[in-house]
Amino acid sequence: MALEIPKVKYTGTIKEITVGTGTNAVTVGGETCYPFHMFEGKMPNAPRIAFEVWDHEPQEWQEWAVEPFKDVIHDPPAWAKKCINVYGAEIIALQLVSADPNGMDRGVEEIVKVVKDVADTVTVPLIVWGCSDDEKDAVLLRRVAEVCEGKNVALGPLSEKNYKQIGAVAIAYGHAVLASSPIDVNLAKQLNILLGNLGVPDEKILVDPTTGGLGYGLEYSYSVIERDRMAALTQEDVKLQYPVVCNLAQEVWKTKETRLTEADDPKLGKERQRSILMESVGAMSFLIAGADIVIMRHPESVALVKDMIKDLTT
Amino acid sequence: MALTGIQIFKLLPKTNCKECKYPTCLAFAMALASGKAELDACAYVTPESRAELSDASAPPIRQVTIGTGDYEVKIGGETVMFRHEKTFFNKPGFAVLVTDAMGDEDVDGRFHRLGEYQYERIGLTLRPELVALKYTGNKERFLALVRRACAEPYSIILMAYDHTVMQEALEIAKARKPLIYAATKDNYERFGILSKASGCPLAVKGEGMEETAVLAEKLTATGLKDLVLDTSTRTVGAGFQEQVGIRRAALMGKYKPLGFPTITFPCEMADTLMKETLIASCFVAKYAGIVVFSDFQGESIFPLLLQRLNIYTDPQRPMTTEQGIYAINNPDRTSPVLVTCNFSLTYFIVSGEIENSRVPGWLCVMDTEGLSVMTAWAAGKFVGDTVGVFLKKSGIAEKVDHRKVIIPGYAAAILGDLEEELPGWEVLVGPREAAHIPAYLKMWK
């Protein structure tokens, strides 16, 4: 009996989405096969890693997470610049954490100023990630869209509740959007349909399936992404044929297993390496499931995952 | 390849003798088809039918058992390409490599770490299970390692291509059912005999999928059943694609020669433990039966044990946490009391956020059969009566002097009923999202 590896019959292609403009623009998507299944299809654009930058100096980061940025962490534009110039960032994901009404609750204009400063400084594409409060984000991202006009940034997260407001300004100012749904294929599809009805062009939609941290629900996100890809590539589900973005940095770095030191629990080993591996093992899992962009924190995690992407795509 | 009840029925004696405890042969056939009965219950089935039936009912990927006792590892037996299609059953075994060329310190360290790195999580113990002992030319030292491993509880992989060395090793270790690694095109006949004589599973190592399949076919022709596959590929991209290819061939192509679990060697694919860990993470997701590491450290093995737990969690069944009171951040008699459901993801996230808040607290976890707060509420399992009874019986009243309890924001509707059920208690509605717990607790008085 001769060996023949059964091939999957792919009928769909993931749409190619470009973020940013000019020579530094980044295109993701375009896959015609499952992730890294190079023997039966193409991944014309390798998955990308976005470095996260916060809009305000983080208060509760581990020392070993702060360390690579300690000279710039109080200054978002300088922080973003360091990610690009020193750590080779190809995308910056600006997290508007300080907007959170349950946290710092900073005023919209104060944050918009930070966004503008960062947008004017960076030479790579920008993702601007709100605080996941539907109302605040609707107001905030509207202004962000205005000040980033012409830069083709990716704005999000857009939920079922605020997609109209943010979607409309994204169309007006030519930005891409991150359609966010709570770990469910049908809800993801529904929001994509709604965005389409609203007039958001197909080449401007990225999907955020909601990301669970390693040991904290990773498997739910993992399987939703796999199901997304299966529907998109083999079941002609055109409304799921969009690139997937996983915002995993915060989900990993807030867990207690990235906070405990070796002295707290010797069996967990060195805290720095452990946190880096928790972040990069999580990222690898999502990339294997089908993520096109992973948002990460530590430069060493990024370097490790970048190296793996290279190995898996060549 | 599974047969339907009717197809099975045609192969049965059709005497309705009832000795199988089923009223008719048809009923027995239906039970066989759904996996509720074993063919052995029928004493009258012809050998030809038996062969046909066992062939058809054999899983497309053989389940192979390595080791004995507490550390026994079952691998293979998988039936789907994607975990959401059903579930993955047998998580890959994690092995640490020890060779006869290592000094005492390296050997001792690896054995120690293999036993040391165990973690409790949701009532499970996460730990690596195997030691891979590799012969590199020093037979006396290799055999001493085998003896040493036999004195430990871990499951064993014996690695040598020389059949005389393997035979001596097996004489020491065969009662422990080690995995014999490996039969190659040069030695497979002798290794096949060793496997058969010792009853130990055998790894088959070919150059690529094709040659591995040819060797596996030759060995199964001699009657061997418990094989493990190694394609010799040690590059990341090709290794990953071969894991997919083997699983595809077995499940989608019904290709028997590759219907076995695989063994992978990140230890031979990277220069650093960090990189090795990431390569291993690919094989945990797609589709290794065993992963062999150059070493374990807490920082490297713990993330992979978590990943393995996540990927091999049965998506058809919610994970649950044990009902009870959980003390977080060393609470005392004045600390806040929170109540939530026992869906383990809820428990992890809520307890994690309480920890993050650094505010000491008592978290009362109620058995909702693994349903989340909203689902449990909708199903009538997380309502005033049930939560009230649970809190009364939980003993929380003896742990605190105050009489206040915080319920999840999504269960705000149960407030009235719960206050009625718990006279003297004040019921407070907490945040809807766990992420807002720290801010809420910091303001709690």
Side-chain angles (χ1 to χ4, degrees):
Chain A
M1 200 166 151
L3 169 62
E4 200 178 321
I5 303 302
K7 298 253 164 59
V8 166
K9 192 165 169 280
Y10 298 110
T11 51
T13 305
I14 305 301
K15 293 178 179 69
E16 290 195 313
I17 313 288
T18 300
V19 190
T21 56
T23 49
N24 287 309
V26 164
T27 300
V28 293
E31 297 92 335
T32 63
C33 59
Y34 289 141
F36 311 115
H37 285 43
M38 317 304 276
F39 61 96
E40 61 182 6
K42 290 196 177 69
M43 282 184 100
N45 307 294
R48 300 288 188 137
I49 304 169
F51 267 87
E52 72 163 0
V53 170
W54 282 24
D55 63 344
H56 189 273
E57 181 172 354
Q59 299 305 308
E60 304 200 322
W61 279 23
Q62 299 83 333
E63 215 180 288
W64 51 95
V66 171
E67 191 270 330
F69 313 106
K70 62 176 181 290
D71 49 334
V72 291
I73 202 155
H74 55 279
D75 180 355
W79 180 354
K81 222 166 154 177
K82 185 168 189 186
C83 289
I84 299 165
N85 296 339
V86 179
Y87 303 122
E90 297 164 326
I91 304 173
I92 294 294
L94 183 61
Q95 316 253 33
L96 307 183
V97 179
S98 73
D100 187 357
N102 292 290
M104 273 184 78
D105 197 18
R106 269 213 295 178
V108 168
E109 287 312 313
E110 221 179 314
I111 299 166
V112 167
K113 189 182 171 306
V114 176
V115 176
K116 188 168 185 333
D117 287 348
V118 172
D120 290 342
T121 306
V122 298
T123 49
V124 300
L126 194 62
I127 294 171
V128 182
W129 200 286
C131 62
S132 302
D133 179 275
D134 290 332
E135 286 165 35
K136 184 89 175 253
D137 280 349
V139 181
L140 178 60
L141 294 179
R142 197 185 172 85
R143 288 282 295 125
V144 168
E146 282 171 29
V147 300
C148 293
E149 185 173 8
K151 294 190 191 295
N152 190 23
V153 303
L155 294 174
L158 274 67
S159 76
E160 220 170 35
K161 300 249 175 63
N162 64 14
Y163 78 94
K164 278 186 190 156
Q165 293 102 305
I166 306 171
V169 289
I171 299 170
Y173 293 97
H175 299 305
V177 296
L178 295 144
S180 180
S181 47
I183 325 193
D184 185 289
V185 178
N186 291 321
L187 294 177
K189 184 173 168 179
Q190 184 181 315
L191 186 54
N192 295 343
I193 292 170
L194 292 171
L195 286 168
N197 293 346
L198 187 70
V200 177
D202 263 347
E203 71 279 5
K204 292 287 187 190
I205 297 175
L206 297 154
V207 168
D208 158 32
T210 304
T211 303
L214 181 64
Y216 290 85
L218 173 136
E219 69 272 32
Y220 297 92
S221 308
Y222 179 90
S223 282
V224 160
I225 300 169
E226 287 203 328
R227 291 180 61 194
D228 265 351
R229 275 298 134 109
M230 188 179 269
L233 292 171
T234 70
Q235 296 156 10
E236 284 125 61
D237 213 330
V238 289
K239 283 298 169 187
L240 286 169
Q241 292 169 344
Y242 301 99
V244 167
V245 181
C246 286
N247 191 356
L248 68 100
Q250 174 70 354
E251 298 306 318
V252 174
W253 288 90
K254 75 178 181 193
T255 63
K256 75 171 173 214
E257 291 84 358
T258 59
R259 292 187 177 277
L260 294 171
T261 62
E262 190 174 15
D264 295 329
D265 187 348
K267 280 201 290 193
L268 289 173
K270 298 189 188 77
E271 58 273 5
R272 186 171 164 282
Q273 280 87 339
R274 183 203 326 133
S275 307
I276 289 167
L277 284 173
M278 284 186 67
E279 180 171 39
S280 45
V281 166
M284 279 317 302
S285 307
F286 294 126
L287 290 168
I288 286 170
D292 293 274
I293 298 176
V294 284
I295 300 177
M296 300 178 67
R297 180 170 298 176
H298 202 285
E300 280 182 52
S301 315
V302 174
L304 280 164
V305 174
K306 226 175 173 174
D307 195 35
M308 286 297 293
I309 292 173
K310 201 173 116 234
D311 287 351
L312 284 164
T313 49
T314 50
Chain B
M1 201 86 126
L3 295 180
T4 64
I6 297 296
Q7 286 169 317
I8 295 171
F9 174 65
K10 288 180 183 157
L11 296 166
L12 294 178
K14 306 190 197 70
T15 53
N16 298 338
C17 72
K18 302 185 178 60
E19 284 179 33
C20 61
K21 307 269 192 286
Y22 285 86
T24 62
C25 287
L26 183 60
F28 180 57
M30 293 300 173
L32 280 175
S34 61
K36 285 183 198 132
E38 297 277 339
L39 186 59
D40 292 342
C42 179
Y44 305 106
V45 64
T46 63
E48 296 77 45
S49 296
R50 178 181 295 276
E52 197 172 328
L53 281 168
S54 62
D55 229 33
S57 64
I61 297 174
R62 173 95 180 159
Q63 178 174 286
V64 175
T65 304
I66 300 164
T68 54
D70 204 23
Y71 271 84
E72 174 189 281
V73 176
K74 281 190 168 62
I75 57 173
E78 302 298 342
T79 59
V80 292
M81 296 297 300
F82 296 94
R83 63 186 288 282
H84 68 256
E85 293 173 318
K86 188 178 175 81
T87 183
F88 292 165
F89 292 101
N90 292 316
K91 58 189 192 301
F94 286 171
V96 67
L97 185 72
V98 173
T99 80
D100 58 25
M102 284 177 185
D104 288 342
E105 202 177 309
D106 282 340
V107 172
D108 290 345
R110 280 169 177 75
F111 272 103
H112 171 73
R113 289 188 283 276
L114 176 54
E116 177 72 5
Y117 296 132
Q118 306 203 8
Y119 312 90
E120 299 297 324
R121 208 173 173 90
I122 46 169
L124 300 169
T125 303
L126 313 185
R127 67 184 183 193
E129 301 89 357
L130 301 119
V131 59
L133 305 173
K134 186 176 183 179
Y135 168 69
T136 69
N138 185 341
K139 191 173 89 174
E140 287 321 308
R141 184 147 174 93
F142 175 67
L143 295 177
L145 290 174
V146 176
R147 276 187 286 272
R148 164 156 191 185
C150 286
E152 308 266 5
Y154 321 117
S155 288
I156 302 166
I157 303 170
L158 297 173
M159 300 176 69
Y161 300 118
D162 181 323
H163 72 277
T164 57
V165 175
M166 185 58 80
Q167 185 164 7
E168 285 188 56
L170 279 169
E171 271 157 26
I172 300 166
K174 68 181 171 201
R176 297 288 303 278
K177 289 273 172 288
L179 173 65
I180 303 170
Y181 179 99
T184 66
K185 67 177 188 321
D186 301 320
N187 69 12
Y188 73 90
E189 282 160 330
R190 289 197 154 107
F191 269 57
I193 292 165
L194 287 176
S195 170
K196 203 169 219 177
S198 62
C200 298
L202 177 64
V204 180
K205 186 184 191 220
E207 296 292 325
M209 287 188 281
E210 193 94 49
E211 189 186 293
T212 308
V214 169
L215 282 173
E217 214 167 9
K218 284 180 179 160
L219 287 160
T220 46
T222 70
L224 286 174
K225 290 199 169 89
D226 291 328
L227 302 182
V228 174
L229 307 174
D230 177 13
T231 54
S232 303
T233 304
R234 298 291 184 263
T235 53
V236 179
F240 174 84
Q241 292 177 47
E242 280 188 355
Q243 291 297 316
V244 174
I246 291 170
R247 173 77 56 106
R248 286 253 188 102
L251 293 187
M252 293 161 65
K254 311 295 179 200
Y255 184 68
K256 295 256 171 199
L258 293 181
F260 300 98
T262 61
I263 182 167
T264 59
F265 291 89
C267 59
E268 296 177 11
M269 301 168 71
D271 301 327
T272 66
L273 194 55
M274 303 288 271
K275 176 86 188 258
E276 194 180 313
T277 303
L278 290 204
I279 295 171
S281 77
C282 296
F283 290 139
V284 169
K286 306 266 165 204
Y287 294 115
I290 296 175
V291 186
V292 185
F293 296 87
S294 64
D295 201 353
F296 296 140
Q297 295 294 340
E299 64 264 23
S300 68
I301 199 66
F302 177 72
L304 287 172
L305 287 166
L306 283 185
Q307 188 211 16
R308 186 176 77 170
L309 172 73
N310 284 167
I311 300 286
Y312 278 78
T313 293
D314 185 347
Q316 306 159 113
R317 267 195 323 196
M319 299 281 278
T320 60
T321 298
E322 207 174 321
Q323 172 165 299
I325 303 172
Y326 293 79
I328 301 173
N329 301 333
N330 302 316
D332 60 23
R333 305 194 66 82
T334 65
S335 304
V337 173
L338 301 94
V339 62
T340 193
C341 66
N342 82 328
F343 177 36
S344 65
L345 190 56
T346 303
Y347 164 75
F348 275 129
I349 292 172
V350 170
S351 63
E353 292 295 350
I354 299 174
E355 271 174 39
N356 276 345
S357 76
R358 305 210 180 95
V359 177
W362 302 97
L363 179 60
C364 303
V365 173
M366 179 178 145
D367 183 0
T368 54
E369 294 162 26
L371 297 179
S372 69
V373 168
M374 261 165 88
T375 326
W377 171 68
K381 293 182 199 301
F382 197 85
V383 292
D385 303 358
T386 58
V387 176
V389 169
F390 159 66
L391 286 172
K392 273 189 230 165
K393 286 190 181 160
S394 71
I396 187 67
E398 285 87 65
K399 292 192 185 291
V400 293
D401 294 329
H402 65 80
R403 289 292 176 264
K404 289 180 191 171
V405 59
I406 303 163
I407 59 172
Y410 279 113
I414 74 170
L415 184 135
D417 285 349
L418 184 57
E419 285 194 326
E420 229 166 85
E421 190 67 37
L422 288 177
W425 283 75
E426 186 183 347
V427 179
L428 306 167
V429 178
R432 290 183 153 222
E433 302 296 335
H436 302 150
I437 289 176
Y440 179 87
L441 285 181
K442 281 172 190 162
M443 296 183 345
W444 194 87
K445 295 229 168 47

